[in-house]
Amino acid sequence: MKRRTAILSIWMLVAAGGILHAEDGSRLWLRTDTTAQAQVIANQQSATVAVAKKELQTQWQGAPVQLKIARTAATRALGDDGYTLAGSPQTSVTITAATEKGLLYGAYHLLRLQDTQSLPAVLDMAESPKYARRILNHWDNLDRSIERGYAGRSLWEWEKLPGEISPRYAEYARANASIGINGSVLNNVNANPLILTNEYLIKVKTIADIFRPYGVKVYLSIHFAAPKTLGGLPDADPLNKEVIQWWKDKVKEIYALIPDFGGFLVKANSEGQSGPQDYGRTHADGANLLADALKPYHGILMWRAFVYNPTKEDRAKQAYQEFVPLDGQFRDNVMIQIKNGPIDFQPREPFSPLFGALQHTQEMIEFQITQEYLGFSNHLVYLAPLFKETLDSDTYADGQGSTVAKITDGTLRPAQVTAIAGVANTGDSVNWCGHPFAQANWYAFGRLAWNHELTPEQIADEWLRMTFTSDENFIRPVKEMMLASREACVDYMMPIGLHHLFSFHVHYGPEPWGYFPDGRPDWMPVYYHRADSIGVGFDRTEAGSNAVSQYFSPLHEQFNDIKTCDERLLLWFHHVPWTYTLQSGNTLWDELCYRYDRGVQEVRDFQKTWDRLEPYVDAERFAVVQSKLRVQARDAVWWKDACLLYFQTFSKLPIPYDIERPVHQLDDLKK
Ligand code: BDP
């Protein structure tokens, strides 16, 4: 039997075109091995041009390439990062841009076209990014732990800097450049004030110097009370002259070390962090204090809208209530950084009603690439469909077609700066992201930040070709699996608009019964699902918390009416009777059961798909994904059993007999 398997797998390897070398995933999507010695000439030289040249010289397999910096009306129209590709891969190729960064992005695009077998016979394209600042947010602490990080310790070896330099700094910057990411906030939003000491700033400078040739700017999260905790001032009141001066001096010190420093990210008066409200001031006072200090150096200030307090008010409404009254009071180098949904990176949320609601304030979106609520680095969940769903959501703020993307990318609202952020999923693990498929989420964030009109399908296709193989027998089923994976996760975790059912302490696994007598109510699952003998779901209609009123018409009315509310968000906005009939013809209870079951079955299908594809994948990555899919399948059953058995104590209805029976006991799960 054993022998037969061995012969079979050798045969399969041969069939797939040869023995596949083990790969540890460390090369990400940048795996081209060639002996190419392409001819590349450039009309100007710089460190960035040198990177573009080297990438092409070592990987480009076509005709000579000319890199041309030209400040013409046409190149200027493409902005700092845009470029044109012209010529033919057979005879000669010209990449033209207004800046060296444009050349770099053009070079990576040319290589991507080659590596995904998409090179046209004649090159004639102009590209420019939708957002000017495409930024990763690292929630990395100075002790190298990572808040919500699932891929090892922080990449930044603070204790060894500035003397010892990890080769991964440049590799990281290169990976980002290859997908258009041009900024990194190095440290956690729950910021340690020490990052602003001269000792740390010198370390930050060292990293910035390594990133610079790759077009990646460094940003820092700051602790609002730093003038007090670090500077020894009596307070950190944004209107205190000494505080204002302290920040001015600090910013000057930073720019003396890092002339192209990007700016600050701030989490203030949120989850226990200090902020301007500690001194009776507003978020605008706080943001403007820092924005003014950064302004002379062209730095930007990203002020997070993630604020909520344990009050009687629905948590989903609070950010809007805080920020809308301040609209128009922020400086023009302030961005309000808004999480995609009103609560917190759940598998599915409606878009945050703040998008479009701030008419005279620049808004940027924050996604979470790390899978805090989507199975960590254990679950295969391709996030491009989630990102796209939010970006494509119509806010109706400026009439029909006011998608979140068009509100934030400068299309509909004039903007000094446009930006987009993603909370990074990288760490020091060999494959960077923990799960080989989590790399796709880093990749997808970068590609969508560059062009949010790309489809999740296109992005998955590119990523798979570059990361694994171009064999259609592999691409087709794996792409299908990736595209189905986010919806599968919604189904086995929190379907039909359920949210925040995860276990409180680790944010992993289900805990719908979660209730802690002395905890914050807005951190407890029961606050969000409100299950009772009648039904389940959070009533956010006009008769309930009235969160629907924060959305523009006609969404306000659509969400408010159980008949017109998008069923994917039904229990987000409505408390629905167990026996209410849904569009499928099923009662809510039955539909819930079928959804949970469907999620489980989908993951089982992913396992079958993957196992069948062994011949197309190197043994190392095959085994990692296979074992992670096992964990995911077990977790999916765990979620299904926990949620259904728990909700059944309210619905008192049977689990439909045509789906898989629970394999756990509720009491055991609760333990
Ligand atoms: C939540 C995380 C917490 C973060 C917070 C934030 O659980 O660790 O600090 O968001 O975004 O999702 O500030």
Side-chain angles (χ1 to χ4, degrees), residues 522-555:
D522 56 348
W523 283 351
M524 296 178 200
V526 297
Y527 170 95
Y528 294 95
H529 64 66
R530 310 202 165 199
D532 56 23
S533 61
I534 317 261
V536 63
F538 196 130
D539 183 358
R540 294 192 166 106
T541 67
E542 288 166 6
S545 82
N546 201 20
V548 293
S549 68
Q550 295 183 338
Y551 290 90
F552 289 93
S553 281
L555 284 181

Side-chain angles (χ1 to χ4, degrees), residues 449-466:
W450 182 274
N451 181 7
H452 54 62
E453 283 171 7
L454 292 172
T455 66
E457 206 251 322
Q458 284 170 311
I459 297 170
D461 195 275
E462 283 178 4
W463 179 78
L464 283 169
R465 283 172 198 276
M466 291 194 284

